[in-house]
Amino acid sequence: MSEKIYQDALSRVREIGEDAGVNAEVIASLMQPMRTLTASLPVRMDDGSTQYFTSYRCRYNNALGPTKGGIRFHPDVNQPEVQALALWMTIKCAIVGLPYGGGKGGVTVDPKQLSRMELERLSRSYVRQMADIISPDRDIPAPDVYTNERIMGWMMDEYEHITRQKAPGVITGKPISLGGSLGRDDATGRGAYLCILELEKKHSWNPADITVAIQGFGNGGYHAARLLHERGYRIVAISDSRGGIHSEQGFDVPSIYKEKQRTRQVKAVYCTHSVCEQVEHSAISNEELLELDVDILIPAALDGVIGTHNVDNIKANYIVEVANGPVLSDVDAILHEREIHVVPDVLANAGGVTVSYFEWVQNRSGYAWDLDTVHERLGKIMAKSFNEVWDLAKSEKRSMRNAAYTLAFRRIGEAVEAHGTRDYFNSSDA
Ligand code: NAD
């Protein structure tokens, strides 16, 4: 992901904003981040040397509340990518009605090359550099690609050393024992699943008739696959970075997960107790998976996988974007014309930030919720948000992405307008 993705994200904001008649001042407020901090992180390596890693924290927009968004550790992290992700967080939080703006952070590093102690020093170094802009009331990080709950725990600890007080609300996605929330682990996949349950109601689907292909079998993809499989959906294709498997019969998702845990690969197996046997299937590439004739396609791995290069070959009826930015903006109109409906990332993967919000609320109130409470409240927020987007799409004849962005712009717009815009300051009304 690079400059192109950020420019792509901005052009979507501009086009949809103008089309929806959103106040120009609101769109202008989203055309650049409020603040992006770049910092060099000195880290003492195990061999005694010091290495310097480039890092970022972007607070994109805080019209609706403190900024919120993950921290990514990846060799490709760069400033435009962080800004694109922070812009999407701004839109996402507005769509699901959270009292947050959007932010994001990252470090340009291959964490697989670091020892555990180097990783801890890097995580703590990040917080030391960013301590002036993160805080429970200002900017609240969370995990993202290649960061996890242990790293969040280290980061919270470092922040607490610096501020000399307990501050669990400074970061979410922590271990449960350090103030994390139940239900955060599968929240992103569950959120996408809850969107599909709403589609099921709209179309009176019988899950057994509905075929699903999933690209990416990580945190988002796996949990979406697991929950859909439990409900009886036919998961006919699954892939990871090494390639995919396909069978019209559908796969037993728990068996594939178990085998993946054992061998680190997605293999077409059915397991009875500890014995796993291969089932009939064909091996497919990630590109072929995207082009399968299925009811629901779930890209849950990478950005930019559907664009002008393959849009004509996409046959799914629905694309549910668990990954951030899997569909490029230049094919939005083509998909809409072809009646391939996209449940956009800013809605479909919002379950993760919603349960992060629950974690922050619990930390601030000092009261831990049980899992049923988390699931019930997540269910309510996802169903309400999905239906608000769906209804707007129907009533104003918009695609779901267009409707989701329009809804976000209107909410952010209300907050911007509450401070007064040109219309207010130039009017003579009392
Ligand atoms: P993850 O690292 O747990 O899983 C990623 C999966 O994608 C892995 O199975 C990996 O093998 C696969 N993959 C990597 N390269 C691939 C390739 N070239 N082709 C096919 N598969 C490939 O990550 P995740 O947390 O599931 O995140 C996946 C996407 O979802 C990212 O875009 C992320 O930003 C987005 N997302 C995740 C969350 C969350 O809470 N986990 C929340 C919002 C958005």
Side-chain angles (χ1 to χ4, degrees):
M1 206 176 340
S2 63
E3 183 64 37
K4 178 166 172 9
I5 286 284
Y6 182 47
Q7 291 309 323
D8 201 67
L10 289 179
S11 65
R12 238 184 209 144
V13 169
R14 210 177 293 115
E15 277 163 31
I16 299 176
E18 283 167 10
D19 176 58
V22 174
N23 187 316
E25 288 178 46
V26 175
I27 299 304
S29 75
L30 292 169
M31 281 296 122
Q32 52 189 330
M34 199 171 77
R35 182 178 190 185
T36 306
L37 184 62
T38 307
S40 169
L41 307 184
V43 177
R44 176 79 59 205
M45 308 304 282
D46 291 345
D47 66 3
S49 66
T50 300
Q51 274 190 30
Y52 295 86
F53 297 90
T54 308
S55 70
Y56 307 93
R57 185 72 197 167
C58 172
R59 301 187 63 216
Y60 203 92
N61 182 290
N62 69 348
L64 292 175
T67 46
K68 179 96 190 80
I71 300 170
R72 181 172 288 202
F73 285 180
H74 194 278
D76 298 336
V77 162
N78 55 60
Q79 188 169 337
E81 170 186 270
V82 169
Q83 292 181 174
L85 290 161
L87 169 56
W88 288 330
M89 284 304 295
T90 307
I91 294 168
K92 192 184 301 184
C93 292
I95 290 168
V96 285
L98 305 181
Y100 285 144
K104 204 80 185 189
V107 181
T108 312
V109 60
D110 181 357
K112 291 178 188 162
Q113 303 299 321
L114 301 184
S115 72
R116 289 180 180 178
M117 283 190 279
E118 288 166 345
L119 192 61
E120 179 182 0
R121 289 183 216 119
L122 177 77
S123 307
R124 290 183 182 276
S125 185
Y126 184 84
V127 172
R128 283 196 296 278
Q129 294 298 331
M130 304 297 173
D132 290 335
I133 68 168
I134 62 171
S135 99
D137 292 306
R138 195 182 302 131
D139 180 38
I140 306 129
D144 193 74
V145 175
Y146 292 147
T147 52
N148 55 26
E149 59 173 35
R150 188 180 299 278
I151 293 175
M152 298 304 108
W154 289 329
M155 289 185 165
M156 176 190 75
D157 188 56
E158 190 65 25
Y159 183 81
E160 291 179 341
H161 278 298
I162 293 167
T163 59
R164 302 181 74 79
Q165 60 186 340
K166 284 287 174 196
V170 72
I171 206 158
T172 59
K174 303 179 292 293
I176 304 287
S177 57
L178 298 180
S181 177
L182 294 173
R184 178 62 185 88
D185 48 351
D186 71 358
T188 300
R190 186 174 291 274
Y193 164 74
L194 291 165
C195 289
I196 293 171
L197 284 196
E198 292 306 306
L199 288 174
E200 182 184 308
K201 286 185 210 156
K202 307 278 177 217
H203 296 293
S204 306
W205 282 340
N206 172 10
D209 297 337
I210 303 297
T211 53
V212 183
I214 303 191
Q215 183 188 51
F217 202 55
N219 178 281
Y222 161 62
H223 287 295
R226 173 180 64 82
L227 292 162
L228 288 168
H229 174 261
E230 277 170 16
R231 189 157 176 90
Y233 282 79
R234 216 151 25 107
I235 313 297
V236 297
I238 298 176
S239 69
D240 70 2
S241 54
R242 302 186 200 193
I245 50 175
H246 176 222
S247 160
E248 274 308 309
Q249 307 301 314
F251 292 113
D252 182 62
V253 174
S255 297
I256 293 172
Y257 180 70
K258 196 169 170 185
E259 188 71 353
K260 167 125 183 160
Q261 293 298 96
R262 206 174 63 81
T263 64
R264 314 306 305 162
Q265 282 179 40
V266 165
K267 288 188 185 165
V269 293
Y270 184 82
C271 304
T272 318
H273 303 297
S274 58
V275 182
C276 296
E277 284 182 17
Q278 197 170 38
V279 294
E280 214 172 291
H281 71 283
S282 43
I284 52 168
S285 67
N286 267 292
E287 292 69 32
E288 288 167 334
L289 180 142
L290 296 169
E291 298 175 7
L292 288 173
D293 189 0
V294 288
D295 297 298
I296 303 174
L297 171 64
I298 304 184
L302 305 172
D303 59 279
V305 291
I306 299 173
T308 47
H309 61 288
N310 63 356
V311 66
D312 293 339
N313 302 329
I314 303 294
K315 300 176 198 73
N317 294 328
Y318 274 97
I319 299 173
V320 178
E321 296 182 324
V322 167
N324 282 311
V327 174
L328 292 167
S329 71
D330 42 12
V331 300
D332 282 350
I334 301 172
L335 292 171
H336 188 52
E337 265 163 38
R338 289 186 52 206
E339 297 190 21
I340 297 176
H341 308 288
V342 179
V343 183
D345 46 8
V346 284
L347 172 64
N349 71 28
V353 69
T354 303
V355 177
S356 270
Y357 163 62
F358 294 164
E359 180 176 334
W360 181 75
V361 170
Q362 292 170 71
N363 293 154
R364 292 165 74 90
S365 66
Y367 180 76
W369 304 354
D370 61 24
L371 189 58
D372 286 346
T373 304
V374 170
H375 285 172
E376 187 201 322
R377 292 184 179 178
L378 176 64
K380 269 191 192 158
I381 289 181
M382 291 308 300
K384 179 170 178 282
S385 307
F386 180 94
N387 283 295
E388 282 172 344
V389 170
W390 178 272
D391 292 346
L392 187 67
K394 293 288 164 211
S395 66
E396 298 188 11
K397 296 195 173 28
R398 298 176 181 279
S399 69
M400 286 196 75
R401 189 189 315 279
N402 190 307
Y405 273 57
T406 301
L407 190 68
F409 296 157
R410 288 182 183 161
R411 289 189 175 148
I412 295 167
E414 279 173 28
V416 171
E417 283 167 17
H419 291 293
T421 57
R422 189 168 71 171
D423 293 345
Y424 167 77
F425 288 108
N426 286 337
S427 97
S428 52
D429 298 347

